[in-house]
Amino acid sequence: MGWNKALFLAINAPAHPGAWALWFAWVCAVTPPVVVPLLLIGLWVRGGGAARGGLIAAAVATIVALGVNQILGRLWYEPRPFMIGLGHRFLAHAPDNSFPSDHATLVWSLACGLIMTSAARRDTIRRAGWALAVYGVAVAWARIFLGVHYPIDMLVPIPVALAAGWFARFIRPPVDRLVLPSCSRLYETGLVAFRLPPTLFPRDR
């Protein structure tokens, strides 16, 4: 047995895991598609105009990273652990390719994008990026614990996410110049049209 499967068995849940551990793992495993867009929306609304170019660049880089995942998945097929009877599964999942993890790539790519495009070391965007990176560790653990991924599926997204972060940093200047003004105008128009309260949705002008 290779190190990947051996490490999987060491992290994977036992046959009868505790209810709290199972609940916590389930929450971590399934929430990234909800947490990521909500975080972006919250940062967009509360972060102000100066931060929004970085949010767009980080979001674009994350989409590119997920595209890279599709290419990697075409190059290498790995059946999920439950498909070969390995370990215990506690999360419903289609019997498709395990490699690499889209969930880990989604979370860590956005985290790296936020960190690498933020202007200051201690601003809200960078802190959100670091918090998201820690959340990504929990996501990676949870999806192995619940039996739907191997450790290697979680390790490969790390360099992909780092590359996504550098890509976000590279594209931020043109995003600030060419994309952000139109997005900001559209956003401000929407705030006025829907009469959203300035106390919850601050205006830039």
Side-chain angles (χ1 to χ4, degrees):
M1 180 182 298
W3 69 268
N4 187 38
K5 292 180 180 178
L7 186 57
F8 165 80
L9 291 174
I11 299 173
N12 182 226
H16 302 287
W20 281 105
L22 201 58
W23 175 83
F24 177 71
W26 182 87
V27 169
C28 293
V30 304
T31 51
V34 176
V35 168
V36 166
L38 286 180
L39 177 64
L40 279 172
I41 292 170
L43 291 174
W44 179 277
V45 171
R46 308 303 300 183
R52 289 172 182 160
L55 297 178
I56 296 172
V60 170
T62 299
I63 293 171
V64 172
L66 291 172
V68 170
N69 260 24
Q70 299 305 308
I71 296 173
L72 293 175
R74 296 281 184 179
L75 296 176
W76 181 264
Y77 177 81
E78 184 77 56
R80 294 183 185 273
F82 62 84
M83 294 169 64
I84 61 172
L86 187 67
H88 306 99
R89 179 179 62 156
F90 295 95
L91 181 67
H93 203 290
D96 54 8
N97 192 5
S98 179
F99 178 86
S101 169
D102 286 333
H103 285 74
T105 300
L106 172 67
V107 174
W108 280 330
S109 294
L110 183 61
C112 289
L114 296 179
I115 292 168
M116 294 186 186
T117 59
S118 58
R121 289 184 177 275
R122 296 185 179 181
D123 68 359
T124 301
I125 303 299
R126 183 175 290 243
R127 287 173 177 169
W130 283 114
L132 199 59
V134 173
Y135 167 64
V137 174
V139 171
W141 163 81
R143 294 186 72 81
I144 299 171
F145 183 81
L146 296 175
V148 295
H149 274 292
Y150 298 101
I152 190 66
D153 303 334
M154 304 303 172
L155 293 175
V156 169
I158 295 175
V160 173
L162 289 171
W166 284 110
F167 180 66
R169 185 172 181 174
F170 174 76
I171 67 172
R172 176 161 187 184
V175 165
D176 283 339
R177 292 194 311 270
L178 304 174
V179 180
L180 180 58
S182 296
C183 291
S184 295
R185 283 194 298 271
L186 182 63
Y187 173 66
E188 294 290 331
T189 301
L191 294 182
V192 174
F194 290 101
R195 299 181 180 179
L196 298 175
T199 52
L200 297 177
F201 298 87
R203 269 59 166 173
D204 289 338
R205 58 178 185 271

PDB file of all heavy atoms in Angstrom, residues 44 47-60 113 116-120 123 125 167-185 204:
ATOM      1  N   TRP A  44     -16.915  42.563  -0.962  1.00  0.00           N
ATOM      2  CA  TRP A  44     -17.225  43.579  -1.984  1.00  0.00           C
ATOM      3  C   TRP A  44     -18.043  44.723  -1.371  1.00  0.00           C
ATOM      4  O   TRP A  44     -17.752  45.891  -1.579  1.00  0.00           O
ATOM      5  CB  TRP A  44     -17.993  42.942  -3.134  1.00  0.00           C
ATOM      6  CG  TRP A  44     -18.377  43.917  -4.204  1.00  0.00           C
ATOM      7  CD1 TRP A  44     -19.472  44.741  -4.207  1.00  0.00           C
ATOM      8  CD2 TRP A  44     -17.668  44.195  -5.414  1.00  0.00           C
ATOM      9  NE1 TRP A  44     -19.506  45.500  -5.352  1.00  0.00           N
ATOM     10  CE2 TRP A  44     -18.399  45.186  -6.106  1.00  0.00           C
ATOM     11  CE3 TRP A  44     -16.500  43.691  -5.979  1.00  0.00           C
ATOM     12  CZ2 TRP A  44     -17.996  45.689  -7.336  1.00  0.00           C
ATOM     13  CZ3 TRP A  44     -16.087  44.186  -7.205  1.00  0.00           C
ATOM     14  CH2 TRP A  44     -16.829  45.177  -7.878  1.00  0.00           C
ATOM     15  N   GLY A  47     -15.841  46.152   1.802  1.00  0.00           N
ATOM     16  CA  GLY A  47     -14.424  46.447   1.621  1.00  0.00           C
ATOM     17  C   GLY A  47     -14.122  47.775   0.975  1.00  0.00           C
ATOM     18  O   GLY A  47     -13.016  48.293   1.098  1.00  0.00           O
ATOM     19  N   GLY A  48     -15.083  48.330   0.264  1.00  0.00           N
ATOM     20  CA  GLY A  48     -14.860  49.619  -0.379  1.00  0.00           C
ATOM     21  C   GLY A  48     -14.223  49.486  -1.748  1.00  0.00           C
ATOM     22  O   GLY A  48     -13.709  48.427  -2.133  1.00  0.00           O
ATOM     23  N   GLY A  49     -14.241  50.590  -2.496  1.00  0.00           N
ATOM     24  CA  GLY A  49     -13.789  50.586  -3.884  1.00  0.00           C
ATOM     25  C   GLY A  49     -12.350  50.195  -4.074  1.00  0.00           C
ATOM     26  O   GLY A  49     -11.999  49.536  -5.061  1.00  0.00           O
ATOM     27  N   ALA A  50     -11.473  50.578  -3.145  1.00  0.00           N
ATOM     28  CA  ALA A  50     -10.049  50.312  -3.323  1.00  0.00           C
ATOM     29  C   ALA A  50      -9.735  48.822  -3.315  1.00  0.00           C
ATOM     30  O   ALA A  50      -8.745  48.384  -3.902  1.00  0.00           O
ATOM     31  CB  ALA A  50      -9.251  51.017  -2.222  1.00  0.00           C
ATOM     32  N   ALA A  51     -10.557  48.023  -2.644  1.00  0.00           N
ATOM     33  CA  ALA A  51     -10.277  46.597  -2.515  1.00  0.00           C
ATOM     34  C   ALA A  51     -10.902  45.757  -3.622  1.00  0.00           C
ATOM     35  O   ALA A  51     -10.528  44.599  -3.801  1.00  0.00           O
ATOM     36  CB  ALA A  51     -10.780  46.094  -1.161  1.00  0.00           C
ATOM     37  N   ARG A  52     -11.832  46.331  -4.359  1.00  0.00           N
ATOM     38  CA  ARG A  52     -12.657  45.516  -5.246  1.00  0.00           C
ATOM     39  C   ARG A  52     -11.920  44.988  -6.464  1.00  0.00           C
ATOM     40  O   ARG A  52     -12.272  43.934  -6.990  1.00  0.00           O
ATOM     41  CB  ARG A  52     -13.899  46.311  -5.658  1.00  0.00           C
ATOM     42  CG  ARG A  52     -14.860  46.469  -4.501  1.00  0.00           C
ATOM     43  CD  ARG A  52     -16.000  47.389  -4.804  1.00  0.00           C
ATOM     44  NE  ARG A  52     -16.866  47.533  -3.637  1.00  0.00           N
ATOM     45  CZ  ARG A  52     -17.714  48.520  -3.439  1.00  0.00           C
ATOM     46  NH1 ARG A  52     -17.825  49.481  -4.365  1.00  0.00           N
ATOM     47  NH2 ARG A  52     -18.462  48.572  -2.359  1.00  0.00           N
ATOM     48  N   GLY A  53     -10.907  45.704  -6.920  1.00  0.00           N
ATOM     49  CA  GLY A  53     -10.109  45.171  -8.017  1.00  0.00           C
ATOM     50  C   GLY A  53      -9.443  43.871  -7.644  1.00  0.00           C
ATOM     51  O   GLY A  53      -9.364  42.922  -8.437  1.00  0.00           O
ATOM     52  N   GLY A  54      -8.946  43.791  -6.412  1.00  0.00           N
ATOM     53  CA  GLY A  54      -8.339  42.557  -5.935  1.00  0.00           C
ATOM     54  C   GLY A  54      -9.332  41.424  -5.842  1.00  0.00           C
ATOM     55  O   GLY A  54      -9.001  40.267  -6.129  1.00  0.00           O
ATOM     56  N   LEU A  55     -10.560  41.739  -5.451  1.00  0.00           N
ATOM     57  CA  LEU A  55     -11.593  40.702  -5.368  1.00  0.00           C
ATOM     58  C   LEU A  55     -11.909  40.140  -6.750  1.00  0.00           C
ATOM     59  O   LEU A  55     -12.066  38.922  -6.910  1.00  0.00           O
ATOM     60  CB  LEU A  55     -12.863  41.275  -4.742  1.00  0.00           C
ATOM     61  CG  LEU A  55     -12.748  41.771  -3.297  1.00  0.00           C
ATOM     62  CD1 LEU A  55     -14.080  42.345  -2.832  1.00  0.00           C
ATOM     63  CD2 LEU A  55     -12.285  40.664  -2.377  1.00  0.00           C
ATOM     64  N   ILE A  56     -12.007  41.021  -7.736  1.00  0.00           N
ATOM     65  CA  ILE A  56     -12.267  40.548  -9.106  1.00  0.00           C
ATOM     66  C   ILE A  56     -11.103  39.693  -9.594  1.00  0.00           C
ATOM     67  O   ILE A  56     -11.309  38.610 -10.164  1.00  0.00           O
ATOM     68  CB  ILE A  56     -12.500  41.743 -10.046  1.00  0.00           C
ATOM     69  CG1 ILE A  56     -13.748  42.517  -9.643  1.00  0.00           C
ATOM     70  CG2 ILE A  56     -12.623  41.264 -11.495  1.00  0.00           C
ATOM     71  CD1 ILE A  56     -13.941  43.822 -10.400  1.00  0.00           C
ATOM     72  N   ALA A  57      -9.882  40.165  -9.392  1.00  0.00           N
ATOM     73  CA  ALA A  57      -8.709  39.413  -9.842  1.00  0.00           C
ATOM     74  C   ALA A  57      -8.633  38.056  -9.156  1.00  0.00           C
ATOM     75  O   ALA A  57      -8.331  37.035  -9.798  1.00  0.00           O
ATOM     76  CB  ALA A  57      -7.438  40.223  -9.566  1.00  0.00           C
ATOM     77  N   ALA A  58      -8.903  38.013  -7.852  1.00  0.00           N
ATOM     78  CA  ALA A  58      -8.857  36.749  -7.116  1.00  0.00           C
ATOM     79  C   ALA A  58      -9.939  35.793  -7.603  1.00  0.00           C
ATOM     80  O   ALA A  58      -9.707  34.582  -7.730  1.00  0.00           O
ATOM     81  CB  ALA A  58      -9.014  37.008  -5.619  1.00  0.00           C
ATOM     82  N   ALA A  59     -11.132  36.331  -7.888  1.00  0.00           N
ATOM     83  CA  ALA A  59     -12.216  35.484  -8.387  1.00  0.00           C
ATOM     84  C   ALA A  59     -11.882  34.913  -9.757  1.00  0.00           C
ATOM     85  O   ALA A  59     -12.110  33.719 -10.027  1.00  0.00           O
ATOM     86  CB  ALA A  59     -13.518  36.285  -8.441  1.00  0.00           C
ATOM     87  N   VAL A  60     -11.320  35.739 -10.644  1.00  0.00           N
ATOM     88  CA  VAL A  60     -10.933  35.263 -11.980  1.00  0.00           C
ATOM     89  C   VAL A  60      -9.860  34.192 -11.870  1.00  0.00           C
ATOM     90  O   VAL A  60      -9.921  33.145 -12.540  1.00  0.00           O
ATOM     91  CB  VAL A  60     -10.436  36.439 -12.846  1.00  0.00           C
ATOM     92  CG1 VAL A  60      -9.798  35.931 -14.134  1.00  0.00           C
ATOM     93  CG2 VAL A  60     -11.587  37.386 -13.165  1.00  0.00           C
ATOM     94  N   GLY A 113      -5.372  34.318  -3.667  1.00  0.00           N
ATOM     95  CA  GLY A 113      -5.663  35.521  -4.431  1.00  0.00           C
ATOM     96  C   GLY A 113      -5.909  36.721  -3.538  1.00  0.00           C
ATOM     97  O   GLY A 113      -5.416  37.819  -3.798  1.00  0.00           O
ATOM     98  N   MET A 116      -2.493  37.735  -1.848  1.00  0.00           N
ATOM     99  CA  MET A 116      -1.466  38.282  -2.730  1.00  0.00           C
ATOM    100  C   MET A 116      -1.884  39.569  -3.441  1.00  0.00           C
ATOM    101  O   MET A 116      -1.029  40.267  -3.991  1.00  0.00           O
ATOM    102  CB  MET A 116      -1.043  37.226  -3.747  1.00  0.00           C
ATOM    103  CG  MET A 116      -0.354  36.039  -3.127  1.00  0.00           C
ATOM    104  SD  MET A 116       0.288  34.877  -4.364  1.00  0.00           S
ATOM    105  CE  MET A 116       0.872  33.537  -3.327  1.00  0.00           C
ATOM    106  N   THR A 117      -3.167  39.875  -3.450  1.00  0.00           N
ATOM    107  CA  THR A 117      -3.592  41.120  -4.094  1.00  0.00           C
ATOM    108  C   THR A 117      -3.886  42.225  -3.095  1.00  0.00           C
ATOM    109  O   THR A 117      -4.134  43.364  -3.493  1.00  0.00           O
ATOM    110  CB  THR A 117      -4.852  40.907  -4.958  1.00  0.00           C
ATOM    111  OG1 THR A 117      -5.924  40.421  -4.133  1.00  0.00           O
ATOM    112  CG2 THR A 117      -4.579  39.940  -6.091  1.00  0.00           C
ATOM    113  N   SER A 118      -3.886  41.905  -1.804  1.00  0.00           N
ATOM    114  CA  SER A 118      -4.199  42.939  -0.805  1.00  0.00           C
ATOM    115  C   SER A 118      -3.051  43.934  -0.727  1.00  0.00           C
ATOM    116  O   SER A 118      -1.883  43.586  -0.854  1.00  0.00           O
ATOM    117  CB  SER A 118      -4.457  42.314   0.565  1.00  0.00           C
ATOM    118  OG  SER A 118      -3.348  41.564   0.997  1.00  0.00           O
ATOM    119  N   ALA A 119      -3.400  45.180  -0.476  1.00  0.00           N
ATOM    120  CA  ALA A 119      -2.421  46.263  -0.518  1.00  0.00           C
ATOM    121  C   ALA A 119      -1.625  46.383   0.764  1.00  0.00           C
ATOM    122  O   ALA A 119      -0.473  46.832   0.746  1.00  0.00           O
ATOM    123  CB  ALA A 119      -3.128  47.584  -0.807  1.00  0.00           C
ATOM    124  N   ALA A 120      -2.203  46.001   1.889  1.00  0.00           N
ATOM    125  CA  ALA A 120      -1.531  46.169   3.180  1.00  0.00           C
ATOM    126  C   ALA A 120      -1.471  44.837   3.914  1.00  0.00           C
ATOM    127  O   ALA A 120      -2.288  43.947   3.690  1.00  0.00           O
ATOM    128  CB  ALA A 120      -2.272  47.197   4.032  1.00  0.00           C
ATOM    129  N   ASP A 123      -4.757  44.451   6.315  1.00  0.00           N
ATOM    130  CA  ASP A 123      -6.085  44.911   5.918  1.00  0.00           C
ATOM    131  C   ASP A 123      -7.095  43.764   5.970  1.00  0.00           C
ATOM    132  O   ASP A 123      -6.741  42.595   6.133  1.00  0.00           O
ATOM    133  CB  ASP A 123      -6.051  45.576   4.538  1.00  0.00           C
ATOM    134  CG  ASP A 123      -5.756  44.601   3.415  1.00  0.00           C
ATOM    135  OD1 ASP A 123      -5.563  43.408   3.702  1.00  0.00           O
ATOM    136  OD2 ASP A 123      -5.729  45.020   2.257  1.00  0.00           O
ATOM    137  N   ILE A 125      -8.987  42.407   3.719  1.00  0.00           N
ATOM    138  CA  ILE A 125      -8.927  41.429   2.633  1.00  0.00           C
ATOM    139  C   ILE A 125      -7.873  40.366   2.921  1.00  0.00           C
ATOM    140  O   ILE A 125      -8.123  39.165   2.760  1.00  0.00           O
ATOM    141  CB  ILE A 125      -8.624  42.126   1.291  1.00  0.00           C
ATOM    142  CG1 ILE A 125      -9.679  43.205   0.996  1.00  0.00           C
ATOM    143  CG2 ILE A 125      -8.559  41.100   0.170  1.00  0.00           C
ATOM    144  CD1 ILE A 125     -11.082  42.692   0.877  1.00  0.00           C
ATOM    145  N   PHE A 167      -1.132  34.722 -10.211  1.00  0.00           N
ATOM    146  CA  PHE A 167      -1.862  35.172 -11.400  1.00  0.00           C
ATOM    147  C   PHE A 167      -2.804  36.324 -11.053  1.00  0.00           C
ATOM    148  O   PHE A 167      -2.908  37.313 -11.800  1.00  0.00           O
ATOM    149  CB  PHE A 167      -2.637  34.003 -11.998  1.00  0.00           C
ATOM    150  CG  PHE A 167      -3.428  34.363 -13.224  1.00  0.00           C
ATOM    151  CD1 PHE A 167      -2.793  34.749 -14.388  1.00  0.00           C
ATOM    152  CD2 PHE A 167      -4.823  34.315 -13.205  1.00  0.00           C
ATOM    153  CE1 PHE A 167      -3.522  35.088 -15.530  1.00  0.00           C
ATOM    154  CE2 PHE A 167      -5.556  34.646 -14.328  1.00  0.00           C
ATOM    155  CZ  PHE A 167      -4.901  35.034 -15.493  1.00  0.00           C
ATOM    156  N   ALA A 168      -3.489  36.205  -9.916  1.00  0.00           N
ATOM    157  CA  ALA A 168      -4.374  37.285  -9.477  1.00  0.00           C
ATOM    158  C   ALA A 168      -3.586  38.571  -9.262  1.00  0.00           C
ATOM    159  O   ALA A 168      -4.039  39.659  -9.639  1.00  0.00           O
ATOM    160  CB  ALA A 168      -5.092  36.879  -8.191  1.00  0.00           C
ATOM    161  N   ARG A 169      -2.418  38.443  -8.670  1.00  0.00           N
ATOM    162  CA  ARG A 169      -1.575  39.628  -8.440  1.00  0.00           C
ATOM    163  C   ARG A 169      -1.125  40.239  -9.766  1.00  0.00           C
ATOM    164  O   ARG A 169      -1.062  41.469  -9.908  1.00  0.00           O
ATOM    165  CB  ARG A 169      -0.368  39.225  -7.600  1.00  0.00           C
ATOM    166  CG  ARG A 169       0.525  40.385  -7.194  1.00  0.00           C
ATOM    167  CD  ARG A 169       1.569  39.918  -6.207  1.00  0.00           C
ATOM    168  NE  ARG A 169       2.424  41.012  -5.782  1.00  0.00           N
ATOM    169  CZ  ARG A 169       3.343  40.901  -4.827  1.00  0.00           C
ATOM    170  NH1 ARG A 169       3.504  39.753  -4.194  1.00  0.00           N
ATOM    171  NH2 ARG A 169       4.075  41.933  -4.497  1.00  0.00           N
ATOM    172  N   PHE A 170      -0.836  39.389 -10.728  1.00  0.00           N
ATOM    173  CA  PHE A 170      -0.374  39.863 -12.037  1.00  0.00           C
ATOM    174  C   PHE A 170      -1.466  40.600 -12.793  1.00  0.00           C
ATOM    175  O   PHE A 170      -1.212  41.615 -13.445  1.00  0.00           O
ATOM    176  CB  PHE A 170       0.131  38.663 -12.851  1.00  0.00           C
ATOM    177  CG  PHE A 170       0.503  39.001 -14.262  1.00  0.00           C
ATOM    178  CD1 PHE A 170       1.689  39.657 -14.541  1.00  0.00           C
ATOM    179  CD2 PHE A 170      -0.339  38.661 -15.318  1.00  0.00           C
ATOM    180  CE1 PHE A 170       2.047  39.966 -15.854  1.00  0.00           C
ATOM    181  CE2 PHE A 170       0.001  38.974 -16.622  1.00  0.00           C
ATOM    182  CZ  PHE A 170       1.195  39.627 -16.887  1.00  0.00           C
ATOM    183  N   ILE A 171      -2.688  40.097 -12.723  1.00  0.00           N
ATOM    184  CA  ILE A 171      -3.763  40.696 -13.513  1.00  0.00           C
ATOM    185  C   ILE A 171      -4.460  41.840 -12.790  1.00  0.00           C
ATOM    186  O   ILE A 171      -5.291  42.532 -13.396  1.00  0.00           O
ATOM    187  CB  ILE A 171      -4.810  39.646 -13.945  1.00  0.00           C
ATOM    188  CG1 ILE A 171      -5.566  39.095 -12.740  1.00  0.00           C
ATOM    189  CG2 ILE A 171      -4.172  38.552 -14.770  1.00  0.00           C
ATOM    190  CD1 ILE A 171      -6.743  38.207 -13.109  1.00  0.00           C
ATOM    191  N   ARG A 172      -4.137  42.066 -11.523  1.00  0.00           N
ATOM    192  CA  ARG A 172      -4.877  43.116 -10.816  1.00  0.00           C
ATOM    193  C   ARG A 172      -4.721  44.503 -11.449  1.00  0.00           C
ATOM    194  O   ARG A 172      -5.739  45.209 -11.578  1.00  0.00           O
ATOM    195  CB  ARG A 172      -4.465  43.174  -9.344  1.00  0.00           C
ATOM    196  CG  ARG A 172      -5.180  44.344  -8.673  1.00  0.00           C
ATOM    197  CD  ARG A 172      -5.284  44.351  -7.224  1.00  0.00           C
ATOM    198  NE  ARG A 172      -6.133  45.458  -6.800  1.00  0.00           N
ATOM    199  CZ  ARG A 172      -6.362  45.783  -5.554  1.00  0.00           C
ATOM    200  NH1 ARG A 172      -5.814  45.074  -4.586  1.00  0.00           N
ATOM    201  NH2 ARG A 172      -7.147  46.812  -5.268  1.00  0.00           N
ATOM    202  N   PRO A 173      -3.520  44.947 -11.864  1.00  0.00           N
ATOM    203  CA  PRO A 173      -3.447  46.294 -12.464  1.00  0.00           C
ATOM    204  C   PRO A 173      -4.373  46.476 -13.668  1.00  0.00           C
ATOM    205  O   PRO A 173      -5.126  47.468 -13.716  1.00  0.00           O
ATOM    206  CB  PRO A 173      -1.963  46.424 -12.833  1.00  0.00           C
ATOM    207  CG  PRO A 173      -1.260  45.554 -11.844  1.00  0.00           C
ATOM    208  CD  PRO A 173      -2.174  44.373 -11.659  1.00  0.00           C
ATOM    209  N   PRO A 174      -4.368  45.558 -14.656  1.00  0.00           N
ATOM    210  CA  PRO A 174      -5.329  45.755 -15.755  1.00  0.00           C
ATOM    211  C   PRO A 174      -6.779  45.624 -15.316  1.00  0.00           C
ATOM    212  O   PRO A 174      -7.662  46.285 -15.879  1.00  0.00           O
ATOM    213  CB  PRO A 174      -4.949  44.662 -16.768  1.00  0.00           C
ATOM    214  CG  PRO A 174      -4.135  43.676 -16.017  1.00  0.00           C
ATOM    215  CD  PRO A 174      -3.448  44.427 -14.942  1.00  0.00           C
ATOM    216  N   VAL A 175      -7.047  44.791 -14.319  1.00  0.00           N
ATOM    217  CA  VAL A 175      -8.413  44.698 -13.797  1.00  0.00           C
ATOM    218  C   VAL A 175      -8.840  46.029 -13.197  1.00  0.00           C
ATOM    219  O   VAL A 175      -9.957  46.511 -13.435  1.00  0.00           O
ATOM    220  CB  VAL A 175      -8.519  43.565 -12.751  1.00  0.00           C
ATOM    221  CG1 VAL A 175      -9.816  43.698 -11.941  1.00  0.00           C
ATOM    222  CG2 VAL A 175      -8.479  42.210 -13.431  1.00  0.00           C
ATOM    223  N   ASP A 176      -7.948  46.649 -12.429  1.00  0.00           N
ATOM    224  CA  ASP A 176      -8.257  47.954 -11.828  1.00  0.00           C
ATOM    225  C   ASP A 176      -8.557  49.006 -12.900  1.00  0.00           C
ATOM    226  O   ASP A 176      -9.449  49.842 -12.734  1.00  0.00           O
ATOM    227  CB  ASP A 176      -7.082  48.425 -10.956  1.00  0.00           C
ATOM    228  CG  ASP A 176      -7.033  47.708  -9.622  1.00  0.00           C
ATOM    229  OD1 ASP A 176      -8.069  47.172  -9.188  1.00  0.00           O
ATOM    230  OD2 ASP A 176      -5.951  47.688  -8.999  1.00  0.00           O
ATOM    231  N   ARG A 177      -7.812  48.943 -13.996  1.00  0.00           N
ATOM    232  CA  ARG A 177      -7.969  49.961 -15.035  1.00  0.00           C
ATOM    233  C   ARG A 177      -9.159  49.686 -15.946  1.00  0.00           C
ATOM    234  O   ARG A 177      -9.893  50.610 -16.304  1.00  0.00           O
ATOM    235  CB  ARG A 177      -6.700  50.049 -15.903  1.00  0.00           C
ATOM    236  CG  ARG A 177      -5.474  50.590 -15.203  1.00  0.00           C
ATOM    237  CD  ARG A 177      -4.388  50.954 -16.221  1.00  0.00           C
ATOM    238  NE  ARG A 177      -4.154  49.887 -17.186  1.00  0.00           N
ATOM    239  CZ  ARG A 177      -3.271  48.902 -17.021  1.00  0.00           C
ATOM    240  NH1 ARG A 177      -2.539  48.862 -15.924  1.00  0.00           N
ATOM    241  NH2 ARG A 177      -3.109  47.978 -17.940  1.00  0.00           N
ATOM    242  N   LEU A 178      -9.332  48.434 -16.329  1.00  0.00           N
ATOM    243  CA  LEU A 178     -10.256  48.124 -17.420  1.00  0.00           C
ATOM    244  C   LEU A 178     -11.582  47.514 -16.974  1.00  0.00           C
ATOM    245  O   LEU A 178     -12.589  47.661 -17.684  1.00  0.00           O
ATOM    246  CB  LEU A 178      -9.573  47.154 -18.396  1.00  0.00           C
ATOM    247  CG  LEU A 178      -8.232  47.626 -18.980  1.00  0.00           C
ATOM    248  CD1 LEU A 178      -7.606  46.519 -19.813  1.00  0.00           C
ATOM    249  CD2 LEU A 178      -8.429  48.886 -19.807  1.00  0.00           C
ATOM    250  N   VAL A 179     -11.600  46.817 -15.863  1.00  0.00           N
ATOM    251  CA  VAL A 179     -12.798  46.075 -15.461  1.00  0.00           C
ATOM    252  C   VAL A 179     -13.507  46.724 -14.279  1.00  0.00           C
ATOM    253  O   VAL A 179     -14.739  46.852 -14.275  1.00  0.00           O
ATOM    254  CB  VAL A 179     -12.435  44.612 -15.115  1.00  0.00           C
ATOM    255  CG1 VAL A 179     -13.683  43.835 -14.698  1.00  0.00           C
ATOM    256  CG2 VAL A 179     -11.739  43.941 -16.294  1.00  0.00           C
ATOM    257  N   LEU A 180     -12.734  47.138 -13.283  1.00  0.00           N
ATOM    258  CA  LEU A 180     -13.331  47.647 -12.056  1.00  0.00           C
ATOM    259  C   LEU A 180     -14.260  48.842 -12.269  1.00  0.00           C
ATOM    260  O   LEU A 180     -15.344  48.888 -11.667  1.00  0.00           O
ATOM    261  CB  LEU A 180     -12.231  47.995 -11.048  1.00  0.00           C
ATOM    262  CG  LEU A 180     -12.706  48.538  -9.710  1.00  0.00           C
ATOM    263  CD1 LEU A 180     -13.642  47.553  -9.023  1.00  0.00           C
ATOM    264  CD2 LEU A 180     -11.517  48.862  -8.815  1.00  0.00           C
ATOM    265  N   PRO A 181     -13.902  49.845 -13.098  1.00  0.00           N
ATOM    266  CA  PRO A 181     -14.814  50.990 -13.244  1.00  0.00           C
ATOM    267  C   PRO A 181     -16.215  50.598 -13.702  1.00  0.00           C
ATOM    268  O   PRO A 181     -17.218  51.085 -13.158  1.00  0.00           O
ATOM    269  CB  PRO A 181     -14.101  51.858 -14.290  1.00  0.00           C
ATOM    270  CG  PRO A 181     -12.654  51.518 -14.132  1.00  0.00           C
ATOM    271  CD  PRO A 181     -12.629  50.055 -13.826  1.00  0.00           C
ATOM    272  N   SER A 182     -16.295  49.698 -14.665  1.00  0.00           N
ATOM    273  CA  SER A 182     -17.612  49.269 -15.153  1.00  0.00           C
ATOM    274  C   SER A 182     -18.370  48.486 -14.086  1.00  0.00           C
ATOM    275  O   SER A 182     -19.582  48.680 -13.892  1.00  0.00           O
ATOM    276  CB  SER A 182     -17.456  48.401 -16.404  1.00  0.00           C
ATOM    277  OG  SER A 182     -16.886  49.146 -17.455  1.00  0.00           O
ATOM    278  N   CYS A 183     -17.668  47.617 -13.376  1.00  0.00           N
ATOM    279  CA  CYS A 183     -18.308  46.836 -12.312  1.00  0.00           C
ATOM    280  C   CYS A 183     -18.804  47.744 -11.193  1.00  0.00           C
ATOM    281  O   CYS A 183     -19.898  47.536 -10.645  1.00  0.00           O
ATOM    282  CB  CYS A 183     -17.335  45.798 -11.765  1.00  0.00           C
ATOM    283  SG  CYS A 183     -16.947  44.457 -12.904  1.00  0.00           S
ATOM    284  N   SER A 184     -18.009  48.739 -10.852  1.00  0.00           N
ATOM    285  CA  SER A 184     -18.406  49.662  -9.784  1.00  0.00           C
ATOM    286  C   SER A 184     -19.624  50.474 -10.185  1.00  0.00           C
ATOM    287  O   SER A 184     -20.545  50.687  -9.382  1.00  0.00           O
ATOM    288  CB  SER A 184     -17.236  50.587  -9.435  1.00  0.00           C
ATOM    289  OG  SER A 184     -16.164  49.855  -8.883  1.00  0.00           O
ATOM    290  N   ARG A 185     -19.648  50.934 -11.431  1.00  0.00           N
ATOM    291  CA  ARG A 185     -20.810  51.700 -11.900  1.00  0.00           C
ATOM    292  C   ARG A 185     -22.073  50.837 -11.881  1.00  0.00           C
ATOM    293  O   ARG A 185     -23.151  51.293 -11.468  1.00  0.00           O
ATOM    294  CB  ARG A 185     -20.555  52.243 -13.309  1.00  0.00           C
ATOM    295  CG  ARG A 185     -19.641  53.448 -13.358  1.00  0.00           C
ATOM    296  CD  ARG A 185     -19.710  54.128 -14.720  1.00  0.00           C
ATOM    297  NE  ARG A 185     -19.263  53.254 -15.792  1.00  0.00           N
ATOM    298  CZ  ARG A 185     -17.999  53.165 -16.203  1.00  0.00           C
ATOM    299  NH1 ARG A 185     -17.057  53.898 -15.615  1.00  0.00           N
ATOM    300  NH2 ARG A 185     -17.677  52.362 -17.199  1.00  0.00           N
ATOM    301  N   ASP A 204     -19.856  54.425  -2.765  1.00  0.00           N
ATOM    302  CA  ASP A 204     -18.535  54.990  -3.037  1.00  0.00           C
ATOM    303  C   ASP A 204     -18.616  56.459  -3.387  1.00  0.00           C
ATOM    304  O   ASP A 204     -17.616  57.157  -3.406  1.00  0.00           O
ATOM    305  CB  ASP A 204     -17.857  54.221  -4.185  1.00  0.00           C
ATOM    306  CG  ASP A 204     -17.434  52.826  -3.747  1.00  0.00           C
ATOM    307  OD1 ASP A 204     -17.275  52.627  -2.530  1.00  0.00           O
ATOM    308  OD2 ASP A 204     -17.290  51.948  -4.606  1.00  0.00           O
TER     309      ASP A 204
END
